[in-house]
């Protein structure tokens, strides 16, 4: 079945550091791929998405490129801020109606 | 900007009791979902609902669970007889009609259910 694997956390970085959170997936067909973010005490917010191979999703300085050849959708940001501290979930939606989430990666940004 | 809302934000109940979690999806959306997140674990799909019936459910969604859209705005999840392992954050989501098939789902803030 479909699955998502993302790097274990927590990830701790200093402000203005470069961020990469790795995500790989297993799916039949051509899934849509997402990154969701969960700030402390809040619900899930869609951060960015990509619906086909080589698409790049971007939002708030974050980017991720849909790589079919490596079945990956790594999240990157060039310069993180303290306000980016949150849990980040990689996710996919296949041909059925449900979203499959990774386990989440907790990100701590130190001032 | 329209958003999905959920009530209550936190529900405490005793084992064996019935609970109803409430959601108000975004008004023009047609697809509705429930997910749950046990503390420290991944978010898991429970059920999807369209056109007043369940379209898909996971193995978690057994006979103790039911969903309903009792009127034009609310979408509820009922747990008939709660167990300790039902303690989790429950997220409601809704999705608009989307001819492109990208089916973006908008999530509510969640209801934290604690079963004692």
């Amino acid at each position: 079945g479909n699955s998502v694997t993302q790097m274990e956390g927590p990830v701790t970085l200093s402000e203005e550091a470069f961020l990469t959170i790795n995500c790989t997936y297993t799916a039949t067909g051509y899934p849509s791929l997402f990154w969701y973010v969960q700030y402390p005490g809040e619900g899930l917010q869609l951060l960015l998405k990509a619906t086909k191979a080589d698409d790049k999703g971007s939002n708030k300085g974050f980017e991720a490129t849909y790589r079919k050849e490596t079945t990956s959708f790594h999240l990157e940001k060039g310069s993180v801020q303290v306000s980016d501290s949150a849990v980040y979930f990689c996710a996919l939606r296949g041909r059925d109606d449900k979203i499959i989430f990774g386990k989440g990666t907790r990100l701590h940004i130190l001032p | 900007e329209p958003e999905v809302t959920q009530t209550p934000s936190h529900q405490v109940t005793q084992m064996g009791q019935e609970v109803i979690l409430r959601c108000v999806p975004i008004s023009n959306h047609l697809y509705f979902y429930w997910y749950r997140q046990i503390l420290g674990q991944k978010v898991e799909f429970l059920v999807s609902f369209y056109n007043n019936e369940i379209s898909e459910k996971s193995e978690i969604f057994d006979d103790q669970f039911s969903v309903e859209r009792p009127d034009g705005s609310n979408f509820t999840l009922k747990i008939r007889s709660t167990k300790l392992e039902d303690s989790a954050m429950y997220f409601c989501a809704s999705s608009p009609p989307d001819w492109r098939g990208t089916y973006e789902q908008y999530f509510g803030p969640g209801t934290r259910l604690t079963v004692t």
Side-chain angles (χ1 to χ4, degrees), chain A residues 46 49 51 93 97 99, chain B residues 33 35 45 102-105:
Chain A
L46 178 66
K49 68 179 181 182
T51 58
R93 184 191 177 282
D97 208 14
I99 291 180
Chain B
Y33 313 86
Y35 293 78
F45 169 81
T102 56
Y103 296 100
E104 182 172 325
Q105 296 182 15

Side-chain angles (χ1 to χ4, degrees), chain A residues 4 32 34 36 38 41-46 49 51 87 89 93 96-104, chain B residues 31 33 35 37 40-45 48-49 55-56 91 100-105 107-110:
Chain A
V4 175
S32 294
F34 308 90
Y36 282 84
Q38 186 178 29
E42 298 186 16
L44 294 166
Q45 299 178 26
L46 178 66
K49 68 179 181 182
T51 58
V87 181
F89 293 91
R93 184 191 177 282
D96 55 20
D97 208 14
K98 61 190 177 191
I99 291 180
I100 305 295
F101 288 87
K103 290 187 175 181
Chain B
Y31 301 85
Y33 313 86
Y35 293 78
Q37 182 184 28
Q41 298 187 26
K42 66 167 69 176
V43 179
E44 301 171 292
F45 169 81
S48 58
F49 190 85
S55 46
E56 188 174 358
F91 292 105
R100 294 167 297 170
T102 56
Y103 296 100
E104 182 172 325
Q105 296 182 15
F107 284 79

Side-chain angles (χ1 to χ4, degrees), chain A residues 6-111:
Chain A
Q6 63 183 104
M7 63 189 289
E8 298 277 335
V11 172
T12 303
L13 296 172
S14 297
E15 205 165 24
E16 299 183 3
F18 184 86
L19 168 70
T20 300
I21 300 178
N22 289 337
C23 172
T24 57
Y25 68 90
T26 301
T28 53
Y30 301 93
S32 294
L33 302 175
F34 308 90
W35 277 98
Y36 282 84
V37 58
Q38 186 178 29
Y39 296 104
E42 298 186 16
L44 294 166
Q45 299 178 26
L46 178 66
L47 180 60
L48 53 84
K49 68 179 181 182
T51 58
K52 62 183 187 296
D54 300 325
D55 267 2
K56 178 186 283 188
S58 61
N59 186 25
K60 300 181 180 179
F62 291 90
E63 292 183 339
T65 301
Y66 189 144
R67 300 283 189 205
K68 187 158 178 65
E69 63 276 12
T70 55
T71 61
S72 65
F73 193 55
H74 304 321
L75 182 69
E76 297 181 335
K77 186 174 184 181
S79 176
V80 292
Q81 305 300 312
V82 172
S83 57
D84 294 327
S85 297
V87 181
Y88 292 82
F89 293 91
C90 186
L92 69 81
R93 184 191 177 282
R95 296 173 67 180
D96 55 20
D97 208 14
K98 61 190 177 191
I99 291 180
I100 305 295
F101 288 87
K103 290 187 175 181
T105 302
R106 185 174 297 279
L107 176 65
H108 293 294
I109 306 300
L110 304 174

Side-chain angles (χ1 to χ4, degrees), chain B residues 53-92:
Chain B
E53 61 184 28
I54 290 173
S55 46
E56 188 174 358
K57 60 183 181 180
S58 72
E59 60 274 10
I60 302 168
F61 193 88
D62 61 21
D63 292 344
Q64 292 299 311
F65 292 88
S66 61
V67 289
E68 192 179 29
R69 188 155 162 82
D71 52 42
S73 60
N74 290 284
F75 179 53
T76 61
L77 173 69
K78 181 193 291 186
I79 309 175
R80 198 158 294 121
S81 177
T82 50
K83 302 187 284 287
L84 293 176
E85 54 265 38
D86 294 327
S87 295
M89 181 74 90
Y90 288 80
F91 292 105
C92 173

